[in-house]
């Protein structure tokens, strides 16, 4: 009888076999960080006045305030590039967590209303509280991102039938359009359109050290939390029943994951503005390269997301110098076709 009970328990316990490639993940992270360092150096050296890489190296390790090039690097270019790397990691990890927790391959902070919600709160701040310190702007961005996410999931769950990824994306698109229109209306009425123009276009130009100093603790804690939750998110990505069968407290994991996503998206939008598709594309690329284990997907997404934004920002400055093309437009050139491909693939799987 005990043997029968043992066999029954073995059948009841889900058998999980993860397809993962730890060696590929290690190569991507080490190689990606090396490439990121090179990209940061090239990006810092390129601008209205090109600066040699040797000068960039000397300005970082042997700063001399009497040299104009060193001042340009430290006060303008370096915070811009580091800000791009930080927000790229934020958007990518937020997208990876959203896709894992919801099992929605189309999940992205831009497509599901988080960016538009944060932008709407920023519009209110510029209109009602001009001159508000950046720390408070970050806090209001968090609130706006939470508002956008809550409304999208609420609208997407209305009606009969199971909430589908396509329905959530449509709800996100509708809500984003509404919040963007409201933001523009506020900008026109209160005459703060110039202040909001940067956030509409999306870009890291004008990033300052004090912004990075305020962002870094939030982002560091959120990224660490994402890594801590990575194993639980892997279980959620395999299905609710499997996660519960493996002893996961799914409600608590989703709550913690949602808080992390809101922090990452809110912090990124407060600096770079409404940039979409980073959190959509990068997790799919990481999943293709390293498998389905989020212990590898999340750190690889952070590295690949930083790479994408740093090199996209460099391309934005190279398209039509000395003018700059909006960073959001450069990334959208890749992101829109990728989104259409995923949407078509999802439709075929549902039909």
């Amino acid at each position: 009888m005990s043997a029968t009970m043992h066999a029954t328990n073995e059948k009841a316990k889900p058998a999980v076999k993860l397809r993962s490639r730890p060696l590929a993940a290690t190569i991507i992270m080490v190689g990606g960080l090396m490439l990121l360092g090179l990209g940061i150096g090239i990006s810092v050296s390129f601008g209205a006045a090109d600066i040699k890489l040797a000068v960039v190296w000397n300005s970082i390790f042997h700063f001399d305030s009497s040299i104009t090039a060193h001042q340009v690097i430290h006060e303008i270019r370096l915070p811009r590039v580091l800000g791009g790397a930080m927000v790229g990691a934020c958007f990518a990890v937020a997208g990876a967590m959203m896709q894992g927790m919801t099992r929605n391959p189309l999940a992205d902070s831009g497509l599901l209303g988080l960016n538009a919600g944060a932008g709407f709160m920023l519009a209110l701040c510029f209109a009602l509280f001009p001159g508000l310190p950046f720390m408070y702007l970050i806090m209001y961005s968090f609130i706006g991102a939470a508002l956008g996410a809550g409304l999208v999931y609420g609208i997407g769950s209305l009606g009969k039938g199971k909430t589908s990824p396509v329905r959530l994306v449509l709800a996100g698109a509708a809500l984003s359009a509404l919040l963007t229109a409201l933001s523009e209306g506020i900008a026109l009425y209160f005459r703060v359109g110039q202040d909001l123009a940067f956030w509409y276009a999306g870009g890291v130009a004008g990033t300052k050290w004090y912004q990075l100093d305020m962002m870094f603790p939030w982002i560091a804690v959120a990224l660490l939390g994402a890594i801590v939750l990575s194993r639980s998110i892997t279980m959620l990505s395999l299905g609710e029943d499997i996660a519960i069968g493996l002893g996961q407290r799914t409600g608590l994991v989703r709550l913690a994951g949602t808080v992390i996503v809101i922090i990452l998206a809110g912090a990124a939008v407060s600096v770079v503005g409404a940039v979409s598709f980073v959190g959509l594309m990068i997790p799919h690329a990481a999943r293709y390269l390293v498998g389905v284990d989020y212990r590898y997907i999340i750190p690889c997404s952070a590295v690949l997301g930083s790479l994408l934004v740093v090199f996209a920002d460099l391309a934005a400055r190279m398209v039509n110098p000395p003018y700059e093309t909006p960073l959001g437009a450069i990334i959208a050139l890749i992101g829109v076709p990728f989104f259409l491909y995923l949407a078509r693939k999802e439709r075929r799987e549902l039909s």
Side-chain angles (χ1 to χ4, degrees), residues 107-124:
D108 169 62
S109 61
L111 295 175
L112 297 186
L114 276 76
N115 292 2
F120 174 69
M121 291 303 295
L122 287 174
L124 288 177

Side-chain angles (χ1 to χ4, degrees), residues 87-283:
V87 300
C90 287
F91 282 132
V93 173
M97 294 187 69
M98 292 172 71
Q99 291 174 16
M101 290 189 299
T102 63
R103 304 186 70 194
N104 180 356
L106 302 178
D108 169 62
S109 61
L111 295 175
L112 297 186
L114 276 76
N115 292 2
F120 174 69
M121 291 303 295
L122 287 174
L124 288 177
C125 289
F126 286 133
L128 303 178
F129 310 107
L132 197 67
F134 183 72
M135 182 64 188
Y136 293 99
L137 290 180
I138 293 180
M139 298 300 296
Y140 280 109
S141 292
F142 295 160
I143 296 172
L147 174 67
L151 289 174
V152 166
Y153 279 95
I155 295 171
S157 61
L158 294 176
K160 298 180 180 179
K162 186 179 179 180
T163 302
S164 67
V166 175
R167 182 187 293 181
L168 283 176
V169 171
L170 291 175
L175 184 69
S176 295
L178 174 61
L179 292 178
T180 300
L182 291 175
S183 300
E184 292 176 351
I186 291 171
L188 290 173
Y189 185 81
F190 289 95
R191 298 182 180 179
V192 292
Q194 187 173 359
D195 296 328
L196 284 175
F198 168 77
W199 274 270
Y200 291 150
V204 289
T207 303
K208 302 299 181 184
W209 282 114
Y210 74 88
Q211 294 175 307
L212 301 185
D213 291 340
M214 292 181 184
M215 280 176 56
F216 182 76
W218 293 96
I219 293 174
V221 170
L223 291 178
L224 181 61
I227 293 173
V228 171
L229 283 179
S230 59
R231 184 178 181 276
S232 298
I233 293 174
T234 302
M235 298 300 103
L236 278 178
S237 71
L238 299 175
E240 184 84 12
D241 294 337
I242 292 177
I244 293 174
L246 292 171
Q248 295 294 321
R249 300 175 66 179
T250 57
L252 185 61
V253 171
R254 282 200 174 94
L255 176 61
T258 300
V259 170
I260 290 172
V261 167
I262 288 170
I263 291 173
L264 292 173
V269 171
S270 68
V271 172
V272 78
V275 175
S276 299
F277 301 111
V278 177
L280 175 70
M281 297 185 292
I282 294 299

Side-chain angles (χ1 to χ4, degrees), residues 275-278 281 308-309 312-313 326-336:
V275 175
S276 299
F277 301 111
V278 177
M281 297 185 292
L308 174 62
V309 174
D313 179 55
L327 174 66
I330 296 294
I331 295 178
L333 288 175
I334 311 170
V336 170

Side-chain angles (χ1 to χ4, degrees), residues 18 20 22 25 29 226-235 290-301:
L18 298 177
S20 60
M29 291 194 64
I227 293 173
V228 171
L229 283 179
S230 59
R231 184 178 181 276
S232 298
I233 293 174
T234 302
M235 298 300 103
V290 304
V292 298
D293 193 337
Y294 278 79
R295 291 177 297 177
Y296 305 124
I297 291 174
I298 286 176
C300 287
S301 293

Side-chain angles (χ1 to χ4, degrees), residues 53 59 63 67 119 179 194 285 327 347:
L53 287 174
S59 71
F63 177 70
I67 301 176
L179 292 178
Q194 187 173 359
L327 174 66
R347 183 179 178 184

